[in-house]
């Protein structure tokens, strides 16, 4: 188009040529059919060739070549789907899945799987056909999770895959294991997800697959850590990061979602923070965002920005939280990632509240919570969102509302096996009780000491420090005050870094 929005003559001419060519083809039906088949064959082989040349890596050249021919690839796919030719579709599927995942085109990926499942449903139930259906259904579940949240369709896809596995000698395929682990993560079943991680590590070692090892160690580390063994969790995550750095990460067929190298960096940042290494934690979070930008993988970038923002929320750096939340929301809007849109709104609302914009922050928080609630989203995030909302209510001078939300959060954690974040819930409970206008209706000290005990069992020095600070701020008799001050000093003296962070500065002042 020219500056006035009018179509240029050359484009009008191209449309005329296109119409003329279509008319001539339609006049020669036999030739039209032959040309259509030749076109579909060529681009089926093209998609397969690009995937093989990329060797499963996020190759810019292969992605660019396929993206440039996306209309032709879709025409070829529709041709073979119309012919119900499973062999030719299987030739294309790895390359297209690779392309869709790289660009965050998960809605299109869902259409691809739906076509394949429809054709598979008419095939004889051979072991190979059953294995492919299991793989497709778990891949469909992950695509639906990314775009729609924790819907009944996700549960149905995974339930059907599990039914197909029962009573059959189905190979332990990596995509199936990885998708089941994601499902267990989202439902807060950390023991089951950790067990899947062990199985993936075993499978990766058996097949000498370094890329698969990254996923396995990530799942094992993240879940073992949230179950309460922070040191072992961090050790597994460090192995995942080392494996990722040892060579190019190769994607597997029907692998979809966040990059495990980035996820390992953010999870290890959380554990480093809890263990008392706030500077190392911040460095890991920065590395995660940098790597996500380098990968140019939309879902991974949204994931990294949200989790890095959450870490800076713990560090009480609301301005950085807001920056990450705004960026995460842009990615979510551009690619229609409903979960990250909801989580991004919550994160930005908390940041605004922390920056003194209480009314605007709470409104944005409510928007995120409503969106999340409407998505039938994964249970694992819900307690955290309620906790964030409760804390923001407290900051806005509404501690009673915050306590109601926190009580709901406690109920939501009943089915979760993770304990690593429990001290944060207990500390917030005590703070909100202290902030009640008429004075606390129950002892805040009880909650602070319970948080301290659990943090001590976890060897989570940062959480111990935060609990000790709150105990010191309680008005108590001289003897108890002296005991609390000695406790805080003993914990503070174990730190070797992070002395400019808000928590350590506060502790030093006391």
């Amino acid at each position: 188009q020219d500056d006035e929005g009018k179509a240029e003559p050359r484009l009008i001419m191209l449309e005329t040529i296109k119409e003329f060519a279509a008319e001539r083809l339609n006049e020669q039906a036999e030739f039209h059919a032959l040309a259509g088949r030749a076109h579909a064959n060529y681009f089926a082989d093209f998609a397969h060739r690009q995937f093989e040349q990329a060797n499963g890596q996020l190759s810019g050249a292969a992605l660019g070549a396929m993206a440039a021919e996306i209309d032709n690839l879709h025409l070829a796919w529709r041709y073979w789907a119309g012919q119900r030719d499973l062999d030719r579709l299987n030739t294309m599927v790895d390359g297209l899945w690779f392309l869709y995942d790289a660009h965050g085109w998960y809605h299109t990926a869902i259409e691809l799987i739906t076509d394949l499942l429809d054709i598979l449903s008419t095939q004889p139930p051979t072991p190979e056909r059953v294995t492919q259906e299991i793989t497709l259904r778990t891949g469909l579940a992950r695509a639906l999770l990314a775009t729609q949240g924790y819907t009944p369709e996700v549960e149905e896809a995974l339930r059907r895959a599990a039914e197909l596995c029962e009573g059959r000698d189905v190979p332990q395929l990596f995509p199936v294991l990885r998708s089941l682990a994601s499902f267990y993560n989202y439902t807060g079943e950390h023991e089951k997800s950790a067990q899947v991680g062990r199985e993936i590590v075993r499978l990766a070692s058996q097949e000498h697959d370094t890329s698969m090892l990254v996923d396995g160690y990530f799942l094992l580390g993240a879940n073992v850590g949230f179950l309460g063994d922070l040191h072992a969790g961090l050790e597994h995550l460090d192995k995942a990061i080392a494996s990722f750095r040892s060579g190019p990460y190769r994607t597997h067929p029907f692998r979809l979602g966040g990059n495990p190298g980035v996820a390992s960096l953010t999870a290890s940042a959380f554990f480093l923070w809890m263990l008392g290494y706030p500077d190392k934690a911040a460095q890991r979070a920065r590395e995660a965002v940098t790597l996500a930008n380098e990968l140019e993988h939309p879902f991974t970038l949204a994931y990294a920005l949200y989790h890095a923002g959450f870490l800076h929320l713990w560090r009480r750096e609301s301005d950085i939280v807001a920056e990450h939340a705004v960026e995460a929301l842009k990615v979510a809007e551009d690619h229609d990632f409903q979960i990250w849109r909801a989580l991004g709104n919550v994160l930005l609302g908390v940041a605004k509240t922390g920056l003194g914009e209480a009314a605007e922050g709470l409104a944005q928080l409510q928007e995120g919570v409503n969106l999340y609630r409407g998505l039938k989203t994964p249970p694992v995030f819900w307690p955290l969102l309620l906790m964030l909302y409760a804390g923001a209510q407290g900051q806005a001078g509404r501690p009673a509302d915050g306590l109601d939300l926190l009580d709901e959060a406690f109920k939501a954690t009943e089915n979760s096996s993770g304990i690593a974040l429990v001290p944060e819930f207990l500390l917030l409970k005590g703070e909100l009780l202290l902030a009640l206008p008429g004075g606390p209706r129950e002892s805040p000290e009880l909650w602070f000491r319970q948080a301290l005990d659990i943090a001590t069992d976890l060897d989570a020095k940062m959480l111990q420090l935060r609990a000790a600070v709150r105990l010191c701020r309680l008005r108590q008799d001289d003897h108890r005050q002296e005991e609390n001050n000695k406790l805080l000093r003993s914990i503070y003296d174990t730190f070797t870094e992070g002395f400019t962070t808000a928590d350590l500065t506060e502790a030093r002042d006391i």
Side-chain angles (χ1 to χ4, degrees):
Q1 293 182 336
D2 61 19
D3 293 338
E4 296 178 358
K6 296 177 181 178
E8 290 185 2
R10 64 187 179 90
L11 295 183
I12 295 173
M13 180 62 73
L14 286 173
E15 284 297 324
T16 303
I17 294 171
K18 180 180 177 181
E19 291 171 7
F20 172 76
E23 288 174 4
R24 295 302 303 274
L25 278 172
N26 288 332
E27 290 169 3
Q28 304 176 57
E30 183 179 351
F31 181 74
H32 192 180
L34 290 172
R37 190 174 186 85
H39 175 276
N41 265 318
Y42 175 84
F43 281 101
D45 293 335
F46 172 83
H48 182 66
R49 188 167 60 252
Q50 293 302 323
F51 182 74
E52 282 195 327
Q53 289 175 353
N55 194 29
Q57 300 169 29
L58 294 177
S59 159
L63 289 171
M66 285 193 289
E69 299 289 358
I70 190 63
D71 289 337
N72 282 316
L73 288 167
H74 285 166
L75 277 173
W77 179 269
R78 287 196 293 272
Y79 178 88
W80 295 120
Q83 297 291 317
R84 303 186 75 77
D85 191 323
L86 192 59
D87 290 337
R88 288 271 75 187
L89 291 174
N90 283 335
T91 300
M92 300 184 71
V93 68
D94 288 341
L96 286 176
W97 190 270
F98 169 68
L99 176 67
Y100 297 157
D101 181 42
H103 286 280
W105 297 340
Y106 294 166
H107 290 284
T108 314
I110 291 168
E111 294 174 9
L112 176 150
I113 295 178
T114 303
D115 284 342
L116 285 175
L117 285 173
D118 175 55
I119 295 169
L120 273 177
S121 67
T122 64
Q123 303 293 310
T126 63
E128 293 77 13
R129 172 217 175 279
V130 172
T131 296
Q132 184 174 12
E133 183 177 350
I134 293 169
T135 306
L136 287 170
R137 289 194 182 279
T138 51
L140 175 62
R142 298 198 77 195
L144 288 168
L145 273 169
T147 56
Q148 299 176 22
Y150 185 73
T151 63
E153 289 78 11
V154 172
E155 286 193 275
E156 172 60 22
L158 288 167
R159 183 193 62 76
R160 178 62 181 144
E163 286 177 353
L164 289 168
C165 289
E166 290 178 5
R168 288 187 172 91
D169 184 19
V170 178
Q172 292 297 293
L173 293 174
F174 169 72
V176 177
L177 291 170
R178 188 63 184 82
S179 294
L180 286 173
S182 293
F183 178 67
Y184 293 141
N185 276 342
Y186 280 128
T187 54
E189 298 176 269
H190 296 292
E191 293 103 335
K192 290 183 179 180
S193 190
Q195 186 55 43
V196 174
R198 291 186 185 92
E199 180 62 21
I200 291 176
V201 169
R202 183 198 64 76
L203 189 64
S205 301
Q206 178 181 308
E207 298 186 7
H208 306 290
D209 191 324
T210 304
S211 297
M212 195 189 300
L213 208 57
V214 180
D215 278 276
Y217 276 128
F218 161 66
L219 288 169
L220 189 53
N223 286 287
V224 164
F226 283 117
L227 284 168
D229 194 339
L230 298 175
H231 291 284
L234 184 60
E235 184 178 344
H236 290 309
L237 290 169
D238 284 343
K239 288 180 181 178
I241 294 167
S243 296
F244 183 82
R245 289 172 173 164
S246 67
Y249 177 77
R250 182 173 61 85
T251 59
H252 290 77
F254 294 98
R255 172 70 172 86
L256 183 149
N259 180 282
V262 171
S264 297
L265 287 166
T266 58
S268 63
F270 290 164
F271 295 161
L272 284 165
W273 164 262
M274 293 180 198
L275 289 168
Y277 300 99
D279 291 344
K280 289 186 177 69
Q283 177 58 33
R284 287 275 171 102
R286 285 192 293 272
E287 288 179 33
V289 173
T290 299
L291 177 57
N293 275 301
E294 290 172 355
L295 292 173
E296 297 182 334
H297 187 249
F299 191 90
T300 295
L301 182 56
Y303 181 102
L305 289 166
Y306 171 77
H307 286 83
F310 202 100
L311 177 76
H312 286 287
L313 185 63
W314 276 347
R315 287 172 57 95
R316 293 196 260 175
E317 297 166 334
S318 295
D319 52 342
I320 301 177
V321 177
E323 291 173 9
H324 284 356
V326 168
E327 291 182 47
L329 278 170
K330 184 179 185 308
V331 178
E333 293 288 344
D334 288 347
H335 297 277
D336 196 24
F337 295 153
Q338 293 294 326
I339 288 180
W340 299 122
R341 180 183 289 139
L343 295 176
N345 272 298
V346 169
L347 195 63
L348 184 56
V350 174
K352 287 180 177 179
T353 305
L355 291 168
E357 303 169 25
E360 188 177 348
L362 289 177
Q364 186 132 27
L365 248 166
Q366 185 66 60
E367 180 183 347
V369 168
N370 288 344
L371 177 57
Y372 194 88
R373 205 188 290 264
L375 288 171
K376 294 185 175 62
T377 34
V380 69
F381 288 126
W382 188 234
L384 283 175
L385 296 196
L386 291 172
M387 183 183 74
L388 293 177
Y389 199 5
Q393 291 282 12
Q395 283 186 308
R398 303 174 184 177
D401 292 337
L403 283 168
D404 290 340
L405 288 165
L406 198 58
D407 287 342
E408 187 180 347
F410 275 121
K411 289 177 183 176
T413 62
E414 289 175 356
N415 295 324
S416 175
S417 54
I419 195 173
L421 295 175
V422 170
E424 289 287 352
F425 286 80
L426 300 173
L427 292 174
L428 180 56
K429 175 87 172 185
E431 290 175 353
L432 292 172
L433 286 169
L434 274 175
L436 287 172
R441 58 196 183 205
E442 55 184 293
S443 170
E445 182 181 5
L446 177 67
W447 297 96
F448 294 154
R449 290 205 175 276
Q450 192 177 345
L452 177 64
D453 290 343
I454 295 175
T456 302
D457 290 341
L458 293 170
D459 194 32
K461 292 197 167 45
M462 182 60 76
L463 303 183
Q464 292 177 53
L465 184 85
R466 299 181 82 167
V469 163
R470 283 152 181 78
L471 287 170
C472 286
R473 292 205 179 280
L474 292 175
R475 294 181 180 178
Q476 298 180 315
D477 60 67
D478 291 344
H479 177 68
R480 295 292 296 278
Q481 197 66 45
E482 184 179 353
E483 283 184 351
N484 290 335
N485 286 340
K486 285 182 179 178
L487 171 67
L488 179 59
R489 168 60 68 182
S490 67
I491 297 169
Y492 181 87
D493 286 344
T494 64
F495 280 78
T496 58
E497 63 171 66
F499 296 107
T500 60
T501 59
D503 283 281
L504 271 80
T505 300
E506 184 180 11
R508 183 172 62 249
D509 290 343
I510 294 174

